[in-house]
Amino acid sequence: MADDDDEGSFGGEFENGHWAWDEVNNELVFVSDLPPELVETVAVTVKVPTGTVEFRDDIDLIEQLRFRKRYQRKLKLGQPDIITVQDVKDLALFTAPVSLLSPMLINMLHLSTTDRFIRALILYCQYYLEIAEEMSNRILELETKVRTPYCDVLEHTYRENISDLRTLVAKEYCTMLIGGHDTKKFHHMGPQKKRRSLSDKDARLFETLLRICIQIVWLALSRRSFNQIELEVNRVFKSEIFNSVEHTLRTNYISKMSKEERGVLLGHCVRHDKKLNTRSPLINEVFCHRPIDYRMMGLGVIKYDELTPRLRYMLMAIGGPEEDLVEMGVTVGILGISRSCFDTMLHVLPTVLDSHKKSKSSFSSASSSAPGFSKSATASVKSTGSMKGSPSSKTVDKLYVYNNIILPEKDEVEPEFPQSFPDESAQVRPCSETQRKRWQTRLHRLLHPPKNKRKSII
């Protein structure tokens, strides 16, 4: 009986511990006799804050010479000396911070699918900037002019053109997401898609890829309107809700647009669902209920026997040889323009600009002195927003070394689905394996510098 009374009292002992009086807090506490359990710590990989990543754009002469000697694309016998997408990628990789780079990112940048994706993104961003400025001017003119029915027809054409160019970007992006063609080994579940999903690794890869693609587009458009490009690219890939750049800058540029501007620039395929069901505008363009030529989804991948002038223009822009772009009248930023018109960092040479400023004729007729040069619809822009990191707000004359995009009109008759689709693949332009190995070697030296050498490895 005494044992039972003692066990039932506060001072009794139990199987895994006993009660004791805490004189400090003046209360009863239960003291466990078991050893403390080990708490497993899960190592979480740190993602690169891509929204705050800054590329170097103030390269000194010594580094420029090093870039030209070691990393710039060398011309082979018979190759034309023009700007290619590889040249722009090389400059972006050279000026990128080491924290952004990875061997997988370098390998993915040197794929034919990624090349088409980058060229389609350059084409879309260039046309978006042109139409955004055109619509801004039209809204200002409405204060003194009357809107006519022709305005609706013209804006409908702009909206369809932007939507089609956005679809070109979406089709290449979808190929990357599903691991199609040459992107199989980069899929987060393995080439056979049977492994465990590595969602964090996949998110890191696409975040860094998107950030470096924004830099490539900005360089290919002669360093034009960086903030506007960054906002639009993040919007179409992540939607308005998850646009981290807009959350940081807080420009409210969409709410400041007029109804007509939103209808043209955003299109009618924008869906405002709940956050869990939200899809990016790129994916919405693919599943949008609007007349889309089915052959657009296979441009650069499937060989079609007959194409309309509009589709031939798009095919040349995303998958054609760069040396034929200027001759065919296709504009994809500075691609296809003579490399002698630029310096090592792809700035237009001042002597070329001075020679064109003295001429009062149109820049398209001055191709004999500098091939491919023309003045954009924007002759005067503010340096803020157009020049990355420029604190000045003065108005400067900015000459763009490419023509405006003039897309051929759509056919009025929609194409019918054939009984069988062509199974012959289109001729794919391979990427430079030499350049890929150079950048892999440079990254390895940056991550694992030699201990006993003082020589710079950058």
Side-chain angles (χ1 to χ4, degrees), residues 9-246:
S9 63
F10 289 113
E13 295 183 356
F14 294 87
E15 182 179 358
N16 297 328
H18 63 279
W19 289 95
W21 181 261
D22 187 1
E23 297 181 356
V24 177
N25 298 322
N26 208 16
E27 62 181 359
L28 281 172
V29 294
F30 182 78
V31 180
S32 176
D33 296 334
L34 296 177
E37 295 182 359
L38 296 177
V39 179
E40 296 182 359
T41 57
V42 180
V44 181
T45 57
V46 180
K47 297 182 181 179
V48 176
T50 55
T52 58
V53 168
E54 290 292 338
F55 286 67
R56 298 179 301 161
D57 198 42
D58 52 347
I59 306 299
D60 56 23
L61 293 178
I62 297 178
E63 289 187 337
Q64 292 184 28
L65 291 175
R66 186 181 294 114
F67 172 72
R68 291 181 59 183
K69 181 180 179 181
R70 298 183 182 180
Y71 307 110
Q72 195 176 51
R73 178 179 61 93
K74 305 301 186 292
L75 292 177
K76 297 181 181 179
L77 186 61
Q79 276 188 338
D81 190 12
I82 59 171
I83 298 293
T84 63
V85 69
Q86 183 65 50
D87 296 329
V88 188
K89 288 191 298 184
D90 292 341
L91 182 58
L93 286 171
F94 185 72
T95 57
V98 185
S99 61
L100 187 73
L101 301 178
S102 65
M104 183 177 292
L105 177 64
I106 294 177
N107 289 336
M108 193 168 188
L109 282 174
H110 291 82
L111 299 176
S112 57
T113 301
T114 310
D115 269 10
R116 291 195 305 270
F117 170 75
I118 292 174
R119 290 174 63 168
L121 192 60
I122 295 172
L123 185 71
Y124 168 71
C125 289
Q126 179 183 346
Y127 192 76
Y128 176 86
L129 294 178
E130 293 174 3
I131 299 304
E133 184 179 3
E134 175 67 20
M135 289 302 301
S136 179
N137 294 334
R138 291 175 64 85
I139 297 302
L140 292 177
E141 291 177 354
L142 286 179
E143 298 179 359
T144 57
K145 295 183 179 180
V146 178
R147 186 177 178 85
T148 62
Y150 178 72
C151 295
D152 297 332
V153 177
L154 187 61
E155 291 173 2
H156 175 75
T157 303
Y158 291 157
R159 180 172 63 248
E160 289 297 313
N161 290 343
I162 289 182
S163 297
D164 286 348
L165 296 184
R166 197 183 290 127
T167 304
L168 289 181
V169 182
K171 81 178 187 69
E172 305 298 345
Y173 182 59
C174 290
T175 303
M176 296 179 180
L177 291 180
I178 64 175
H181 193 43
D182 51 2
T183 63
K184 289 182 179 179
K185 58 183 178 181
F186 298 97
H187 196 267
H188 62 98
M189 296 181 67
Q192 304 299 328
K193 304 177 185 178
K194 295 181 179 180
R195 300 178 186 172
R196 183 178 178 181
S197 177
L198 301 176
S199 57
D200 188 80
K201 182 179 178 181
D202 186 59
R204 174 188 172 89
L205 175 62
F206 275 93
E207 282 289 337
T208 53
L209 177 66
L210 186 63
R211 179 61 186 89
I212 200 168
C213 284
I214 292 174
Q215 187 73 11
I216 293 173
V217 172
W218 180 66
L219 293 173
L221 297 182
S222 296
R223 293 170 169 81
R224 174 184 182 183
S225 305
F226 176 81
N227 290 337
Q228 198 170 357
I229 292 173
E230 189 180 32
L231 285 169
E232 176 61 17
V233 170
N234 278 272
R235 184 193 70 85
V236 297
F237 280 92
K238 302 178 182 179
S239 75
E240 300 177 20
I241 300 176
F242 301 103
N243 191 343
S244 58
V245 178
E246 170 60 23

